Amino acid sequence: MKEIEKARDELRSEFESLADKKLVLRSVKLKALFDGIKEIEPDKRAEYGKAVNALKNELEAWIDEHASNNSYAEIEAIDVTAPWDINTSSDEKPRILTSDRGSKHPLRTEIELIINIYQRMGFAVEESREIDDDYHMFESLNFPEGHPARDDYDTFMTDEGLIAPAHTSTMQNRVLRKYAGNLDKGEPIAVVVPDRVFRNEDLDATHEHTFYQIEGVYVGKGVTVGNLIATLSAFMNEYFGQELKTKLQPFYFPFTEPSFEFAIERPDVLKKDDSEEQKWLELLGCGMIHPNVLKSAGIDPEVYTGFAWGNGIERMVMMKNQIEDIRHFESGNLKFLRQF
Ligand code: DAH
């Protein structure tokens, strides 16, 4: 019971600091209390379980209270699509329950969680775009015309030759240019870009034409593979709430040299058994930014070096929430969405 009291205080301070108050329900602290139920001796279990549930109800009450104190709630919004006359008095209008107001899409919730970690690590956040050109998608990333690796990206293209970005790397050149001033001040360029990407894929449970990636770029003086490993490990440890071993395997991308596939030891929350196949989890592509990519953004590769990485988001959300089919995310199926 003492432990629950203590967790309550910690959750309260966590709650105070959250921009999106609903995220308190996803706190690892609350999950740990629920997971603890099965560890409790059988005769105390009911009492403990009740107290944990009461705490969860209390968190929900904090969220509701916060929502109703929120100044937006005081101004009555005009819903032009509402099926009643605008002059209908509020008592005559159908009541809308807080619980019916909908919720954030699970991908949005996850992206907020992810960028919150990177922001605390000092990264700025930029958006990508939904239409781009050959230069940003390929040329500036060291895929010259006719380069065979272009075919790996199954790009959607308009008749005019514009491209729906097939990776968030399409933003590397812009981000490097936008933040190049940091280097003159002796500061690094440190940016993440979470956004949608599009590929002309054959669709199945693990392939969707529209999905999300998060790109990261870090450039400065004397930046090495050691910094790459340290940065990605720090992120993964924070995201999964556990110290994890990491593994780099050689790979190929035109825009990095050397290029790697970054794997982590499978976190406890995602472990099914102790078999060798369950041991490592390959999560992302990364590498040291190719000198030609730095040059194309006007950065001298003799003076500065950097690393970059690109990570799919759906897979992380699917593993965390045991979602079996990637196509649910874009389906707009309320039965799926209401679970979150
Ligand atoms: N753009 C790559 C893809 O979609 C992922 C990636 C790999 C991004 C390595 C990077 C990187 O920035 O360094 O397959």
Side-chain angles (χ1 to χ4, degrees):
M1 292 300 147
K2 276 233 180 69
E3 191 190 319
I4 297 177
E5 269 304 297
K6 188 166 148 259
R8 181 189 179 278
D9 292 342
E10 290 169 356
L11 283 162
R12 183 68 209 188
S13 49
E14 211 171 283
F15 175 79
E16 304 289 349
S17 70
L18 284 171
D20 177 1
K21 303 293 181 198
K22 283 200 294 298
L23 286 180
V24 76
L25 293 173
R26 296 175 63 110
S27 168
V28 287
K29 293 204 184 77
L30 185 63
K31 185 169 182 304
L33 290 178
F34 275 104
D35 289 348
I37 295 180
K38 54 183 186 302
E39 314 291 335
I40 299 286
E41 295 150 41
D43 57 326
K44 303 238 174 71
R45 201 173 287 156
E47 191 193 351
Y48 176 90
K50 240 190 226 154
V52 176
N53 271 312
L55 176 60
K56 178 160 178 259
N57 291 339
E58 193 179 341
L59 302 189
E60 279 166 353
W62 294 347
I63 295 167
D64 282 347
E65 189 190 79
H66 175 85
S68 60
N69 290 342
N70 190 316
S71 57
Y72 290 115
E74 285 160 25
I75 309 165
E76 207 174 336
I78 297 171
D79 178 356
V80 293
T81 65
W84 56 76
D85 186 271
I86 191 161
N87 297 314
T88 313
S89 76
S90 345
D91 332 333
E92 287 170 72
K93 279 184 208 155
R95 290 258 159 247
I96 299 168
L97 300 171
T98 319
S99 56
D100 282 346
R101 270 195 209 143
S103 58
K104 240 174 232 172
H105 192 281
L107 285 173
R108 181 52 47 193
T109 308
E110 203 66 15
I111 289 171
E112 286 176 5
L113 214 87
I114 292 171
I115 52 187
N116 179 277
I117 300 176
Y118 282 121
Q119 281 176 321
R120 283 188 277 131
M121 291 169 69
F123 283 83
V125 182
E126 290 287 335
E127 281 180 322
S128 181
R129 48 186 62 214
E130 305 208 337
I131 197 82
D132 211 345
D133 54 25
D134 186 89
Y135 179 75
H136 291 91
M137 175 68 208
F138 292 124
E139 194 80 31
S140 65
L141 290 166
N142 196 36
F143 296 79
E145 225 184 304
H147 193 292
R150 285 185 172 217
D151 294 341
D152 297 341
Y153 287 84
D154 301 313
T155 44
F156 287 115
M157 224 174 256
T158 69
D159 292 340
E160 298 80 11
L162 292 171
I163 296 171
H167 55 180
T168 41
S169 308
T170 205
M171 289 301 289
Q172 280 199 17
N173 186 269
R174 289 191 188 88
V175 162
L176 292 174
R177 286 181 182 280
K178 177 167 175 187
Y179 289 87
N182 288 17
L183 300 176
D184 303 330
K185 285 186 277 173
E187 290 164 19
I189 299 175
V191 185
V192 289
V193 186
D195 219 328
R196 277 179 140 174
V197 295
F198 311 90
R199 289 191 196 179
N200 186 7
E201 299 263 18
D202 287 331
L203 308 188
D204 63 29
T206 56
H207 295 90
E208 172 62 293
H209 50 68
T210 301
F211 55 101
Y212 281 80
Q213 287 185 333
I214 184 161
E215 186 84 8
V217 191
Y218 189 97
V219 177
K221 266 194 184 146
V223 177
T224 67
V225 176
N227 301 118
L228 179 162
I229 299 172
T231 305
L232 293 177
S233 307
F235 171 82
M236 293 301 168
N237 291 348
E238 179 71 16
Y239 181 75
F240 288 109
Q242 186 187 352
E243 291 284 314
L244 295 162
K245 290 199 192 101
T246 58
K247 182 163 84 169
L248 283 192
Q249 307 178 113
F251 205 75
Y252 174 76
F253 298 105
F255 38 95
T256 42
E257 179 59 37
S259 307
F260 309 103
E261 221 168 39
F262 182 87
I264 54 168
E265 175 195 4
R266 192 176 284 265
D268 294 341
V269 281
L270 301 178
K271 217 175 237 165
K272 293 192 199 87
D273 56 57
D274 285 330
S275 67
E276 197 53 31
E277 304 89 79
Q278 284 277 308
K279 194 157 183 223
W280 296 102
L281 202 55
E282 275 154 22
L283 282 181
L284 53 89
C286 58
M288 298 305 290
I289 301 176
H290 195 288
N292 289 348
V293 175
L294 293 174
K295 266 190 234 160
S296 74
I299 296 173
D300 184 352
E302 298 288 334
V303 182
Y304 299 102
T305 50
F307 59 87
W309 70 95
N311 183 183
I313 295 180
E314 275 80 357
R315 203 168 133 238
M316 312 247 274
V317 183
M318 288 170 77
M319 287 189 302
K320 240 175 144 177
N321 298 294
Q322 277 109 45
I323 297 167
E324 78 294 351
D325 194 323
I326 193 173
R327 291 168 293 190
H328 288 313
F329 289 115
E330 298 286 330
S331 69
N333 179 344
L334 290 178
K335 220 163 149 189
F336 169 73
L337 294 172
R338 285 198 173 122
Q339 301 174 79
F340 297 95

